[in-house]
Amino acid sequence: MFESILCQVTEYDPDVLESLIGLAVEIAREGREGRRVGTLFTLGDENAVLARSRPLILDPLSGHPESSLHGANPNLRGTIKELAQLDGRFVVSHEGIFLSACRYFDAVVTQVDVPLGLGSRHIAAANMSAVTKAVGIVVSESSVVRLFCHGQLVGEIIPEAWMMEHAQLGGTVKRERVGELTILTPSLRQTPIAK
């Protein structure tokens, strides 16, 4: 599904990376309780990421069995969506295990070039991916998902465009823009009326 991005990040299991990107897109698309939510995930090089970060609050994931903390666990995915509302970042192992939540990242690099207009989550992801081998996945409050690898922005996912490719209407569709909404309807084919 995210082949062009997966080609940019070859160090990780594509299934784990794709699952985490999918979760990020869900958070960007759905938000929580009617408001947009921003968050950040790091994938891989977990020991280095943990060494360069610290908890903001008592870690809500601490002490739970590893089997319940795998990103493919549907119960955990709901929990992660709730925790994403809190300020802080998630640390995910190379294997897709959520190790920690609500982290503050201390990594600072002066040579990271983050495009203007992107905020502290993006800078934190770029910095952490520059000083570790982790990939940073940022959910922006503007509902865009961005990936950072080796300190560089390597991909952006705009959920509306992603969702349009996954529409359930079959056949030819008509697209209409109404404000910020895109409406898809089946295209009506003109069939001759029998006399």
Side-chain angles (χ1 to χ4, degrees):
M1 178 181 321
F2 302 111
E3 288 86 11
S4 60
I5 289 175
L6 297 176
C7 290
Q8 300 290 320
V9 182
T10 58
E11 296 92 353
Y12 294 97
D13 179 342
D15 292 335
V16 172
L17 182 57
E18 188 165 3
S19 175
L20 195 55
I21 292 171
L23 176 60
V25 169
E26 288 174 25
I27 291 170
R29 184 178 72 203
E30 299 166 7
R32 287 320 264 172
E33 299 183 6
R35 64 182 182 87
R36 293 184 175 182
V37 173
T39 196
L40 183 147
F41 303 103
T42 58
L43 173 62
D45 204 4
E46 54 272 11
N47 292 329
V49 173
L50 289 169
R52 290 178 169 86
S53 64
R54 56 190 160 87
L56 286 171
I57 62 172
L58 291 176
D59 191 339
L61 300 179
S62 179
H64 294 279
E66 188 175 288
S67 61
S68 66
L69 296 175
H70 195 279
N73 178 346
N75 294 326
L76 177 68
R77 290 174 80 85
T79 298
I80 297 304
K81 290 177 183 181
E82 289 298 323
L83 292 174
Q85 297 178 84
L86 302 174
D87 194 19
R89 285 83 172 151
F90 294 91
V91 178
V92 182
S93 76
H94 189 273
E95 295 80 21
I97 307 297
F98 278 76
L99 301 174
S100 188
C102 305
R103 305 284 298 183
Y104 177 82
F105 288 178
D106 292 320
V108 178
V109 179
T110 57
Q111 70 269 21
V112 171
D113 185 27
V114 176
L116 292 175
L118 299 183
S120 61
R121 279 187 202 94
H122 297 88
I123 293 168
N127 283 334
M128 191 59 79
S129 74
V131 299
T132 69
K133 294 177 183 168
V135 173
I137 303 170
V138 179
V139 179
S140 173
E141 287 184 32
S142 65
S143 297
V144 176
V145 176
R146 294 183 177 90
L147 275 78
F148 291 86
C149 188
H150 307 295
Q152 300 294 314
L153 178 62
V154 296
E156 293 183 295
I157 301 166
I158 302 165
E160 181 178 316
W162 178 82
M163 291 185 322
M164 286 174 49
E165 291 181 14
H166 293 84
Q168 299 300 310
L169 288 172
T172 308
V173 296
K174 177 182 169 190
R175 295 179 188 199
E176 286 182 274
R177 291 282 299 174
V178 178
E180 293 182 17
L181 300 176
T182 300
I183 301 171
L184 303 178
T185 55
S187 290
L188 300 175
R189 293 190 178 166
Q190 298 294 329
T191 56
I193 299 174
K195 292 187 180 185

